[in-house]
Each structure stands twice: as structure tokens, then as C-alpha cells.
């Protein structure tokens, strides 16, 4: 029943510089690119905008958008979602300078992290639209690094180091700065501060950042403290940290000791001395007299807390608890009455204006944070923004000088990947998350702790405008997160959008402790797989398919969901509203709920699988919902349509399956079949939660409202949740079947060790003896007599011969010797010099490794080339990968220019 407010402005803080890009991906075939946007370009709106609708996957996987023009002035790009403004970049804005590269007659726009379903550009004058020559999306390959190396890092090195194993870099930043395509960086134990970026790798040869064998190095963007502490009073110490005040987060300050988050001074206190106890937090309950301007607290609290804020789960009786909300600052305290500087803003549901879910009411749970007077327990701290002083009560009550302390910085991320084909393996990351904007990247065997920290405001929504800069975000394509521990965090454990991403075999825990976020928040996604994860203790839902988004054929399967909605209400392990699932399936998951949490007057509505109003095209089948503390095992609120609910087993809920009608009774094509309902207070119910008696109803009543049902049953179930009697095919487990697997494959705290480092590519020999290649060569089906040689079992072709033969194809290129360097120009017609396609050589030849610089479109690259009789011969497979054509060998060497390198 909750409503989302969707903002339309994208946070631009994490936009990265324009960089070279990697090869196309499997989800959108390379042959799709360049994807030309159809003209003519004279169809502009009153503001000068022209838009196209290429495949959504093409937008998300493109590296660049290019507009070629004659005399026109392109002032802005826009990317939209669902035909509404999503993100707009103006050429004169600082935020766009790193995105837009303007040359004579052409603007190239960096597409990394763009997530929409429509693209366009704006001309300053409508008449200029006719001057547009061509508009297209494209991907740019990364040239292979044939001398990829292994770089070593060790924080304990006394010297800066040079990256060799004998003398490793001391700084991880130095290593990443000097890394090139497909290099491997091996990192020893230690703490490495700052934000890491990495260059792209290539398909089969990723750039790799990995922990040394047996090590678990730490990467954190936090700011280390080397402060001089003195006693403030009792066990509370104070330090002047003005030297770092300009780089730490001061609106939401967070202090870490040994990588563990301490507790910002608050009322009431947490049960422990660090934030690991946050899901067990005790919240106070607002008393009679509470309203939008006043919070009446149950206990006497310090009066000197002006400027502090109340974080409250607001709303009227039966409606509160959707999210936490940060109130305006406290103006004064008089006994148990807290007065705010201004009233909270009231928000109501359009369809029932009497319902208020955003201002304070008696019974709302809350806590207060942000005042020195609240600092009274071990582990608590307070940062005074005005004086730039930090106050701290250490967990053992001693001098903080003995501790390794750091503060959250202004940078949200420990690792930013706009690159492609990168693997990050075996790190402990805290105080910031990971932002993936590229494709084919893998994060594995890592822990990501305290990625986010803030209080909720504006109803606590994670809106689309800040999702892309969220603390652990996946926005690209073909990215994988596996075998990681994620949590605790105030934010969502992961936010994800894009194409063909995978989140599998991870442990999530204690995500969303700010009180409004979920374990995984899914924005517009296609072919996303969330599988075999264990998710425990979520502040709100475990998986939220976000309101207003479009989805396509995503799969959530074989996960173990434990205790959702610990701090909130009206949600579940899976939640969606106002969304089109596009055929999304939720199957073979195991949901358990053993706690309800301290919820004051909140609705206490916890649901296993929850399709809220205006949802369609979702399927839930073969799931087990063990519902000791679940209100409704499975719930669909109308108006919703095209939901298929079958072969689920629901045990012990108040209501097994609940269909909530809102008066419009629109439940088109909702199928509820073959479910096993066991020991629920009510097997089925239909109605509305407020003011109506919920009663069992017959299948006929469901059918009368447009919902069909057959084969459902109530009964008992053995330890494996199998049906009994004459209904062998109902429920998640057939009568004689076996239990499906669910959850992560490894135990928390025992993640698999990183895989051994790959063997570095050997350096080619300086001089070799070679002989002509005897194999027949076919180019696009026609035999061609190349002058080619075999070196170390690889075929080398004269560069000018290849350019000559490929001229006029989609992969044509030109080559020339300029200033002592071999210059190669892609997508350019070849200019012959008469030396091409001479007669084939005979007998053995001496081949010398060519050490000349090789440039592709002006960018230095590393291709293997040998000089034979004064001509340059290049390895055929490297040429195929560089220019993106398909090579094959089955006794005959085959070159197919119509197919991409990967086939």
C-alpha cells in the first residue's frame, strides 16, 4: 500500500572521466554496433529535442553516443526512462565536461552508467536539426596488452617500491595508476586508503586485482585519524580534527575503530558498543501529545540537544512504519516534550487523504541523534561540525589514542569500475561501497561492510535519482557479484540495474539499518539473476523491485530469506508495486520469519511474497514460506494483473494467501493453483486490511472476481514439506520428491580463498626462425593467397596484406609508418603502396621482434609484431580481436568479417 515519490534528477557526483572502452558483450551482439539511430533528424519538439528508442539493452551496453554534424550546435544530451526525463547533460555544465568530447563536426558522449530506454540530443535552433549527418551508439574495443604483467603491493614495504615481487609498491594507488590492460595486481595484507579505479581488461584476460594467497587486505575510502586526544569528562575524550574536516562526511559523520562502526550518540542507547547491534536497537515510542511539531518522549532526556534530529517511523495508527523519516532539527526540550524548529511535512495517500504516513503520531517508534548531551555510553561518539571537534567514549572506556580510527569521507566508494573485464578478488572493504558502471566485471570473495551511512528523509525513499551513486551499485551489463559478505549497511546491500547481471552465492546481513532500505533494490533490469544467496535481517524488504520501473525476464531463485522487515512494516521478503515484471520469476526460494522487531504502533504487516497494487507480469512458484511471524504468506493487492501463483508451500501464517481488493476489484488474469497451505489461521482471505473482517473464502469467490484457482489444498507436511494424501503435486515439493537447494554454498566467515594468480604471459622471443604457413586461407568464403608465417605455433600475417584484403568491409583499417611508429587507423579506407600481396615466401626466415611503438587511433597499444624481410607481420588472432572479426582454424584458416571476434 505504500506510495513512492519518484524524483527525476540524477545525482552526478560519481561521473567519471571519458576513457577508452572494451569489446562488445554477449547480451547485445557486437554486430549490432554501431547502432545507428534512424533519421531524418528534422523531427524536433518545441524545445529542440529529437529522440529515438533503440533497444534498451543497446543503450545500457553502449560505450559512446556520437552525433556527427555540419554547422549545428549540439547543446545537450538527454536519456529518459518511460518517456519521462531521466537525466540531462548540458555541454556547458561542469558535470558534463567529463562526459562530452567535442571535436570538429562530432560530439562523443560517454555512456557509462546511463540507464534509460530512450536517448536524444538537443540543437540550439530547430533549423540546425537538418544539419545532423549521423547519430549512433557504439562500443569501442580495448587493444590487448600482449606483455601483461603482474604487479605486487605490500603496505609494509619501507620504500615506495617499483611493483616487482622483490620490491612491491607500498601504495595500492601507485599500482593501479601504473596498471595497464589485463595486468594482475597482487596485494598483501594491510589497510589501503582511498578510491580505486582500474583499466579495462579483455575477454579471457581480465585486469585483476586480487589478494595475495592467505591475505585479506583492506580497501577503505575512509580518512585515518591521527588526533591528539584529551579527557573531556569521565570516560569521554575529545580531539580537534579540523585538519580533515574538509574531506570527511560532516552531515552524517561516521567513526570507525579497527574497521568497525562506532555508534553516533543517541537516545535510547543501543544494546551493544558498536553498530553490529543495530538490528536489535531499542526505539522509544512517541507518547500522547505527539504531532507534526512535537514529539513527547517516554523518559526524561537532556535538555541541551537543540539542533539534534528525531528519526521516526511516522504515520497514523495502522499505517506507520513504511520508512524512517528524519525530522526538522530540534528547537527545544521541556521535560519530556521535544519541540521541532518547523512542522514535519504531511503526506497522504491520494486515494485516502485521511491517511497520514509522514508526520509524527503517538505510538510511532523513534530515536534521537546529533547532540553531545546524548553521548553517555561505550562506543558512542559525537562530531561538532561548528568546532570541528570529535568526542568519543571508547568501547573499553580508555584513551582512543590506542585505537586505529578513521572517519567516513565524502567519497561513497572504495572501488569505481567504469571499465570492462575487471576481476576484484579477496578484499575486505568498509566505509564505502563499489560502483560498477561497465560490463563483464566480477567481484568475488570480498566483504563489503558499512557501505552506506545516513538517516532517511523525504519518507526514507531510495529514489531513482540517487540510485546510481548508491553505495554498492551495479548499473552495467554482464557483471557478477559472488561469494561475498555484504553488510551491515544503512543503505541497500546492493542496488542493481542493467542487463544480464548476476548476484549469486553471497551472504547478506543487516542491510537497511537506516530504516527504509532493502537487501537488494532492483531498478530497471533485464535478465537479472539473483540466486543461491542467504539474506538475513533486513531493515525493510530483502528484494524490492522498485516502483515505476520496467523489468524483463529476471529470475530470483534458490535463495534463503531470513527475517525481513525488522525495522519497518508493510513489506516482505519480496516486494513490488506500480511495476511491470516483464515475466520475472520468483521460484524455489525458502523464506523464514522468526522475529517481528520492536514496532510500536506500526501495522506489523510482514509478508513473504508481496505484489502490492498496480503490479503485473510476475510469477511465484515452488517457494516455501515458513511463516511463524508472517501476517500473510503471499499477498496480492489490486489493481494488479497477470500474476501466476502456483506450487508454493505456506506454513503457519495468519493468512496463507491474501488478495486485497481496493474497491475496483481489478484482478485480471491472476492464477492461483496447486499451492499447499499448512496450519495457517486462514488458508485464503479476500478483502482489505482496514475495517473489514477477513474471512476464509471459496475458490468460487476468487473466480467471481476474475481470479482462477484449482487444486489448492490445506493439510500437513513432513520435515521436507511434502504433501500427503491424494494431492501429490501440490506445494513446492512433490510427495515423493526431494528438497530443492537454497542459500549460499559456504558458511559465513569461511569464504573460499582467492584462486591462484594467473601465470603471466611470456615475453615473445627477440629472434626466432620461422617458415611459411602452409594452410589455406579463406576470407569471407573466398580463398586468398597470403604471405604468412608460423611463429611459435601462431600464424603471423603481413599487416599491409591484411589491410588490403579487408578494405571495404566493416572492419577495414589503414596503416602507415609515421615518425618511427606504426600507426593504425580503424574504420578507415586502406591506402595501398604497391607492396601488398606479393608472392608467398619460401624456406626458413629469421624473424626479429619489432620494438617500434604501435598506435591505434593515436593510443599506444601492445601488439606482437615481427620483422621478416623488412615487413611487419602481426599475429592473426590479435588482429582479429583488435578489429573485431571472427577467426577460425580447422586445417583451414578462416576469416569472417561479418561476425564479431567472439563469434
Amino acid at each position: 500500500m505504500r506510495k513512492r515519490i519518484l524524483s527525476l534528477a540524477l545525482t552526478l557526483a560519481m561521473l567519471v572521466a571519458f576513457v577508452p572502452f572494451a569489446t562488445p558483450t554477449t547480451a547485445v551482439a557486437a554486430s549490432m554496433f554501431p547502432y545507428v539511430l534512424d533519421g531524418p533528424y528534422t523531427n524536433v519538439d518545441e524545445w529542440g529535442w529529437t529522440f529515438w528508442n533503440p533497444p534498451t539493452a543497446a543503450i545500457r551496453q553502449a560505450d559512446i553516443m556520437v552525433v556527427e554534424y555540419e554547422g549545428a550546435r549540439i547543446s545537450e544530451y538527454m536519456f529518459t526512462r518511460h518517456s519521462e526525463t531521466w537525466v540531462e547533460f548540458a555541454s556547458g555544465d561542469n558535470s558534463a565536461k567529463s562526459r562530452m568530447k567535442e571535436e570538429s563536426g562530432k560530439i562523443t558522449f560517454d555512456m557509462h552508467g546511463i540507464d534509460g530506454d530512450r536517448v536524444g540530443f538537443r540543437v540550439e535552433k530547430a533549423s540546425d536539426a537538418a544539419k545532423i549527418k549521423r547519430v549512433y551508439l557504439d562500443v569501442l574495443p580495448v587493444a590487448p596488452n600482449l606483455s601483461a604483467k603482474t604487479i605486487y603491493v605490500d603496505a609494509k614495504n619501507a620504500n615506495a617500491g617499483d611493483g616487482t615481487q622483490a620490491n612491491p609498491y607500498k601504495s595500492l594507488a601507485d599500482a593501479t595508476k601504473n596498471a595497464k590492460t589485463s595486468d594482475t595486481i597482487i596485494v598483501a595484507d594491510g589497510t589501503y586508503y582511498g578510491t580505486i579505479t582500474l583499466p579495462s581488461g579483455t575477454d579471457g584476460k581480465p585486469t585483476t586485482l586480487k589478494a595475495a594467497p592467505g591475505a585479506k587486505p583492506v580497501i577503505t575510502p575512509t580518512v585515518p585519524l591521527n588526533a591528539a586526544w584529551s579527557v573531556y569528562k569521565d570516560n569521554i575524550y575529545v580531539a580537534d580534527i579540523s585538519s580533515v574536516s574538509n574531506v570527511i562526511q560532516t552531515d552524517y559523520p561516521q567513526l570507525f575503530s579497527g574497521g568497525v562502526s562506532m555508534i553516533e550518540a543517541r537516545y535510547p542507547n543501543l544494546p551493544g558498543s558498536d553498530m553490529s547491534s543495530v538490528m536489535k536497537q531499542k526505539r522509544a515510542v512517541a507518547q500522547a501529545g505527539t504531532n507534526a511539531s512535537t514529539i513527547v518522549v517516554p523518559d526524561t532526556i537532556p535538555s541541551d540537544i537543540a539542533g539534534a534530529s528525531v528519526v521516526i517511523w511516522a504515520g497514523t495508527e495502522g499505517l506507520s512504519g513504511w520508512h524512517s523519516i528524519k525530522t526538522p532539527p530540534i528547537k527545544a526540550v521541556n521535560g519530556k516534550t521535544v519541540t521541532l524548529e518547523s512542522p514535519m511535512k504531511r503526506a497522504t495517500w491520494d486515494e485516502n487523504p485521511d491517511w497520514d504516513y509522514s508526520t509524527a503520531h503517538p505510538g510511532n517508534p523513534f530515536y534521537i541523534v546529533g547532540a553531545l548531551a546524548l553521548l553517555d555510553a561505550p562506543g558512542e561518539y559525537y562530531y561538532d561540525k561548528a568546532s570541528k571537534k570529535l568526542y568519543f567514549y571508547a568501547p573499553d572506556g580508555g584513551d582512543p589514542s590506542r585505537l586505529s580510527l578513521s572517519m567516513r569521507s565524502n567519497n561513497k566508494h572504495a572501488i569505481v569500475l567504469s571499465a570492462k573485464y575487471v576481476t576484484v578478488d579477496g578484499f575486505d572493504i568498509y566505509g564505502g561501497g563499489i560502483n560498477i558502471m561497465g560490463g563483464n566485471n566480477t567481484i568475488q570473495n570480498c566483504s563489503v561492510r558499512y557501505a552506506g551511512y545516513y538517516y532517511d528523509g523525504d519518507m526514507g525513499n531510495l529514489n531513482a535519482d540517487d540510485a546510481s551513486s548508491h553505495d554498492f551499485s551495479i548499473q552495467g551489463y554482464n557483471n557478477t557479484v559472488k561469494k561475498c559478505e555484504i553488510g551491515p549497511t544503512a543503505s541497500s546491500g546492493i542496488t542493481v540495474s542493467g542487463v544480464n547481471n548476476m548476484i549469486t552465492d553471497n551472504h547478506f546481513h543487516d542491510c537497511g539499518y537506516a530504516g527504509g532500505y532493502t537487501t537488494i533494490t532492483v531498478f530497471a533490469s533485464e535478465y537479472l539473476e539473483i540466486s543461491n544467496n542467504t539474506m538475513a535481517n533486513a531493515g525493510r524488504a530483502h528484494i524490492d523491485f522498485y516502483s515505476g520501473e520496467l523489468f524483463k525476464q529476471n529470475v530470483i531463485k534458490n535463495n534463503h530469506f531470513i527475517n525481513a522487515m525488522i525495522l519497518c512494516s508493510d513489506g516482505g521478503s519480496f516486494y513490488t508495486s506500480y511495476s511491470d515484471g516483464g515475466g520475472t520469476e520468483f521460484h524455489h526460494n525458502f523464506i523464514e520469519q522468526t522475529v517481528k522487531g520492536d514496532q510500536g504502533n506500526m501495522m506489523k504487516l510482514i509478508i513473504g511474497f508481496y505484489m502490492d497494487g498496480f503490479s503485473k507480469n510476475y510469477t511465484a512458484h515452488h517457494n516455501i514460506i515458513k511463516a511463524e511471524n508472517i501476517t500473510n504468506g503471499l499477498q496480492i493487492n489490486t489493481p494488479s494483473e497477470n500474476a501466476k501463483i502456483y506450487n508454493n508451500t505456506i506454513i503457519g501464517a495468519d493468512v496463507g494467501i491474501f488478495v486485497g481488493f481496493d474497491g475496483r476489484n481489478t484482478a485480471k488474469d491472476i492464477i492461483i493453483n496447486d499451492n499447499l497451505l499448512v496450519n495457517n489461521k486462514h488458508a485464503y482471505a479476500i478483502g482489505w486490511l482496514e475495517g473489514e473482517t477477513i474471512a476464509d473464502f471459496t475458490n468460487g469467490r476468487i473466480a467471481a472476481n476474475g481470479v482462477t484457482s484449482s487444486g489448492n489444498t490445506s493439510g500437513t507436511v513432513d520435515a521436507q514439506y511434502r504433501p500427503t494424501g491424494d494431492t501429490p503435486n501440490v506445494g513446492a515439493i512433490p510427495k515423493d520428491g526431494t528438497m530443492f537447494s537454497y542459500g549460499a554454498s559456504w558458511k559465513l566467515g569461511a569464504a573460499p580463498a582467492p584462486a591462484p594468480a594467473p601465470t603471466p604471459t611470456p615475453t615473445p622471443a627477440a629472434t626466432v626462425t620461422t617458415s611459411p604457413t602452409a594452410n589455406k586461407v579463406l576470407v569471407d568464403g573466398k580463398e586468398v593467397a597470403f604471405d604468412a608465417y608460423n611463429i611459435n605455433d601462431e600464424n603471423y600475417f603481413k599487416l599491409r596484406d591484411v589491410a588490403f584484403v579487408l578494405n571495404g568491409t566493416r572492419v577495414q583499417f589503414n596503416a602507415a609508418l609515421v615518425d618511427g611508429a606504426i600507426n593504425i587507423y580503424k574504420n578507415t579506407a586502406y591506402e595501398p603502396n604497391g607492396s601488398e600481396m606479393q608472392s608467398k615466401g619460401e624456406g626458413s626466415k629469421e624473424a626479429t621482434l619489432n620494438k617500434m611503438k604501435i598506435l591505434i587511433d593515436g593510443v599506444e597499444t601492445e601488439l606482437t609484431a615481427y620483422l621478416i624481410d623488412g615487413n611487419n607481420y602481426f599475429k592473426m588472432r590479435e588482429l582479429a580481436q583488435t578489429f573485431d572479426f571472427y577467426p577460425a582454424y580447422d586445417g583451414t584458416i578462416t576469416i569472417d568479417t561479418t561476425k564479431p571476434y567472439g563469434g
Side-chain angles (χ1 to χ4, degrees):
M1 293 187 298
R2 65 189 165 103
K3 177 185 178 184
R4 312 272 193 120
I5 307 298
L6 295 177
S7 175
L8 300 176
L10 176 67
T11 301
L12 301 177
M14 294 312 300
L15 298 184
V16 297
F18 187 88
V19 294
F21 307 110
T23 52
T25 69
T26 57
V28 174
S31 58
M32 287 187 64
F33 292 102
Y35 190 94
V36 180
L37 304 175
D38 294 332
Y41 309 110
T42 55
N43 183 23
V44 299
D45 63 22
E46 59 184 300
W47 299 283
W49 286 101
T50 301
F51 290 99
W52 293 269
N53 298 293
T56 304
I59 298 176
R60 293 176 184 163
Q61 297 189 33
D63 291 324
I64 57 174
M65 178 179 178
V66 179
V67 178
E68 298 175 350
Y69 56 89
E70 286 183 349
R73 174 62 180 165
I74 310 302
S75 59
E76 294 172 88
Y77 280 108
M78 183 182 288
F79 301 86
T80 70
R81 178 181 291 169
H82 310 167
S83 298
E84 295 180 344
T85 301
W86 173 239
V87 57
E88 180 179 333
F89 297 98
S91 58
D93 294 344
N94 288 333
S95 60
K97 287 181 179 178
S98 62
R99 287 270 182 174
M100 300 172 72
K101 180 180 179 181
E102 190 165 6
E103 304 168 280
S104 177
K106 182 170 71 173
I107 288 182
T108 303
F109 186 88
D110 177 1
M111 292 283 289
H112 279 117
I114 294 299
D115 187 9
D117 57 17
R118 193 168 68 143
V119 298
F121 65 91
R122 184 181 185 184
V123 293
E124 289 188 346
K125 296 184 297 183
S127 60
D128 282 352
K131 301 175 182 178
I132 303 302
K133 296 169 58 182
R134 187 169 180 249
V135 184
Y136 60 93
L137 306 176
D138 204 356
V139 294
L140 301 177
V142 173
N145 177 6
L146 303 180
S147 58
K149 59 185 179 298
T150 300
I151 300 170
Y152 294 88
V153 184
D154 190 342
K156 297 185 291 296
N157 192 358
N159 306 307
D162 60 10
T164 61
Q165 189 169 12
N167 187 24
Y169 286 121
K170 181 181 182 67
S171 164
L172 181 54
D174 285 344
T176 56
K177 179 178 64 177
N178 289 291
K180 295 183 179 180
T181 297
S182 301
D183 282 350
T184 296
I185 303 173
I186 306 295
V187 186
D189 273 326
T191 299
Y192 301 88
Y193 292 94
T195 297
I196 301 303
T197 60
L198 293 159
S200 292
T202 58
D203 190 6
K205 294 183 179 179
T207 299
T208 302
L209 177 69
K210 68 186 289 106
K216 192 77 171 181
V218 175
I219 301 176
T220 176
T222 62
V223 179
L225 295 181
N226 296 302
W229 293 92
S230 60
V231 175
Y232 171 67
K233 68 175 183 179
D234 301 327
N235 295 106
I236 301 173
Y237 286 72
V238 62
D240 183 334
I241 60 169
S242 56
S243 62
V244 298
S245 61
N246 63 325
V247 293
I248 64 172
Q249 175 55 257
T250 57
D251 291 331
Y252 305 105
Q254 188 174 22
L255 174 67
F256 295 92
S257 176
V260 176
S261 177
M262 299 291 97
I263 302 167
E264 193 168 0
R266 60 192 281 155
Y267 159 82
N269 294 328
L270 291 183
S273 60
D274 62 60
M275 289 297 287
S276 65
S277 63
V278 68
M279 287 300 181
K280 300 177 183 178
Q281 64 177 292
K282 177 184 178 183
R283 292 174 288 179
V285 176
Q287 305 296 295
T290 295
N291 55 47
S293 302
T294 303
I295 312 293
V296 180
V297 302
D299 308 302
T300 301
I301 60 174
S303 59
D304 186 16
I305 60 171
S309 294
V310 180
V311 179
I312 189 166
W313 283 257
T316 53
E317 175 72 33
L319 196 66
S320 69
W322 285 355
H323 297 279
S324 64
I325 297 173
K326 182 184 178 185
T327 70
I330 292 173
K331 180 179 181 180
V333 175
N334 182 6
K336 297 182 179 181
T337 300
V338 175
T339 304
L340 306 179
E341 288 184 357
S342 60
M344 300 175 67
K345 294 181 180 179
R346 189 172 188 268
T348 60
W349 197 19
D350 295 340
E351 295 166 10
N352 193 334
D354 294 330
W355 288 359
D356 170 22
Y357 55 83
S358 68
T359 61
H361 291 268
N364 292 164
F366 71 92
Y367 64 89
I368 301 174
V369 68
L372 177 58
L374 300 175
L375 203 168
D376 61 355
E380 289 190 338
Y381 66 92
Y382 169 73
Y383 176 69
D384 188 324
K385 190 174 180 179
S387 68
K388 302 177 182 178
K389 291 182 178 179
L390 179 65
Y391 298 81
F392 184 34
Y393 188 151
D396 63 358
D399 187 341
S401 300
R402 303 165 295 107
L403 304 176
S404 176
L405 302 175
S406 63
M407 293 284 287
R408 177 174 289 275
S409 74
N410 290 320
N411 194 340
K412 287 187 174 182
H413 299 111
I415 298 173
V416 175
L417 295 180
S418 59
K420 317 285 182 68
Y421 295 108
V422 172
T423 296
V424 177
D425 188 354
F427 291 87
D428 178 16
I429 297 166
Y430 78 85
I434 301 172
N435 189 14
I436 302 174
M437 295 180 284
N440 297 290
N441 299 297
T442 298
I443 309 296
Q444 61 189 25
N445 303 319
C446 293
S447 59
V448 183
R449 301 177 293 110
Y450 308 106
Y453 180 71
Y454 31 78
Y455 330 117
D456 282 343
D458 184 27
M459 300 190 308
N461 280 339
L462 166 59
N463 289 321
D465 62 340
D466 63 2
S468 63
S469 62
H470 216 56
D471 307 302
F472 190 163
S473 62
I474 305 171
Q475 302 167 72
Y477 54 89
N478 295 353
N479 296 298
T480 299
V481 176
K482 63 181 180 180
K483 294 188 182 332
C484 292
E485 176 188 356
I486 300 167
T489 180
S491 57
S492 295
I494 289 179
T495 60
V496 58
S497 62
V499 180
N500 279 7
N501 294 305
M502 177 180 288
I503 303 170
T504 186
D505 204 13
N506 303 285
H507 277 275
F508 293 83
H509 61 91
D510 304 298
C511 296
Y513 69 68
Y517 298 99
T518 59
T519 302
I520 298 177
T521 302
V522 183
F523 291 90
S525 290
E526 301 173 20
Y527 309 105
L528 167 68
E529 179 179 318
I530 302 174
S531 61
N532 294 99
N533 301 283
T534 297
M535 306 185 194
N537 303 331
R540 193 170 164 80
H542 280 307
I543 294 181
D544 186 344
F545 271 54
Y546 199 76
S547 298
E549 300 292 294
L550 293 175
F551 306 101
K552 183 178 180 180
Q553 294 182 25
N554 305 291
V555 175
I556 302 119
K557 63 179 183 178
N558 299 99
N559 300 285
H560 189 190
F561 300 110
I562 307 167
N563 293 335
M565 307 302 296
I566 288 181
L567 301 176
C568 299
S569 186
D570 194 14
S573 283
F574 174 88
Y575 179 88
T576 189
S577 67
Y578 292 83
S579 71
D580 185 339
T584 290
E585 289 191 40
F586 182 88
H587 68 84
H588 293 94
N589 300 286
F590 190 96
I591 297 173
E592 290 185 281
Q593 189 77 26
T594 62
V595 301
K596 280 192 174 181
D598 173 20
Q599 298 184 327
N601 72 338
M602 294 192 295
M603 286 184 290
K604 301 178 179 63
L605 183 59
I606 302 172
I607 297 161
F609 178 91
Y610 192 177
M611 281 179 55
D612 210 340
F614 298 94
S615 300
K616 61 181 179 180
N617 297 319
Y618 289 92
T619 296
H621 65 89
H622 293 91
N623 302 287
I624 297 173
I625 302 175
K626 191 177 179 182
E628 289 91 338
N629 283 286
I630 286 181
T631 311
N632 303 326
L634 190 148
Q635 179 165 335
I636 302 172
N637 285 345
T638 63
S640 289
E641 60 185 83
N642 195 21
K644 298 178 178 63
I645 310 299
Y646 62 91
N647 284 106
N648 300 286
T649 298
I650 302 173
I651 308 163
D654 291 343
V655 176
I657 297 176
F658 181 88
V659 180
F661 282 81
D662 67 348
R664 284 170 285 192
N665 294 343
T666 49
K668 181 181 178 181
D669 297 325
I670 296 179
I671 311 299
I672 303 175
N673 286 342
D674 300 323
N675 301 286
L676 179 64
L677 285 298
V678 182
N679 297 330
N680 302 285
K681 293 180 181 177
H682 301 277
Y684 304 94
I686 189 169
W688 196 243
L689 293 179
E690 287 77 24
E692 182 173 341
T693 301
I694 299 174
D696 290 327
F697 56 86
T698 65
N699 291 340
R701 184 174 178 187
I702 300 177
N705 286 282
V707 184
T708 63
S709 179
S710 65
N712 298 288
T713 183
S714 297
T716 60
V717 51
D718 64 14
Q720 295 298 310
Y721 311 111
R722 297 188 184 96
T724 60
D726 298 326
T727 55
N729 296 318
V730 300
I733 308 300
K735 181 178 179 181
D736 298 320
T738 58
M739 182 69 178
F740 57 79
S741 63
Y742 58 90
S745 66
W746 52 281
K747 292 183 179 180
L748 190 62
T759 302
T761 303
T763 303
T767 303
V768 296
T769 300
T770 181
S771 57
T773 297
N775 304 90
K776 182 168 65 174
V777 181
L778 298 179
V779 178
D780 293 338
K782 297 180 180 179
E783 184 172 356
V784 178
F786 277 101
D787 184 21
Y789 288 85
N790 186 283
I791 302 175
N792 298 326
D793 294 325
E794 292 280 358
N795 292 301
Y796 282 72
F797 285 60
K798 191 189 335 180
L799 183 64
R800 281 192 171 274
D801 286 357
V802 176
F804 183 85
V805 171
L806 299 188
N807 197 34
T809 70
R810 72 173 184 88
V811 295
Q812 67 180 2
F813 66 92
N814 194 18
L817 190 64
V818 180
D819 297 329
I822 299 172
N823 280 261
I824 299 172
Y825 308 96
K826 299 173 71 173
N827 300 316
T828 304
Y830 176 65
E831 299 175 5
N833 67 359
S835 66
E836 301 82 9
M837 305 304 295
Q838 300 297 316
S839 59
K840 297 184 67 173
E842 297 180 358
S844 298
K845 300 281 186 178
E846 184 178 84
T848 303
L849 186 66
N850 191 337
K851 297 183 178 180
M852 284 192 294
K853 186 182 295 185
I854 301 171
L855 304 176
I856 296 180
D857 292 336
V859 179
E860 185 174 358
T861 188
E862 298 182 14
L863 296 175
T864 307
Y866 279 91
L867 280 169
I868 304 175
D869 290 340
N871 293 307
N872 290 297
Y873 288 74
F874 283 69
K875 189 187 297 185
M876 174 50 67
R877 284 198 174 274
E878 291 182 358
L879 292 177
Q881 186 173 17
T882 299
F883 298 107
D884 194 32
F885 58 82
Y886 182 73
Y889 177 78
D890 59 358
T892 296
I893 299 171
T894 300
I895 296 172
D896 188 342
T897 66
T898 67
K899 296 170 62 177
Y901 175 73

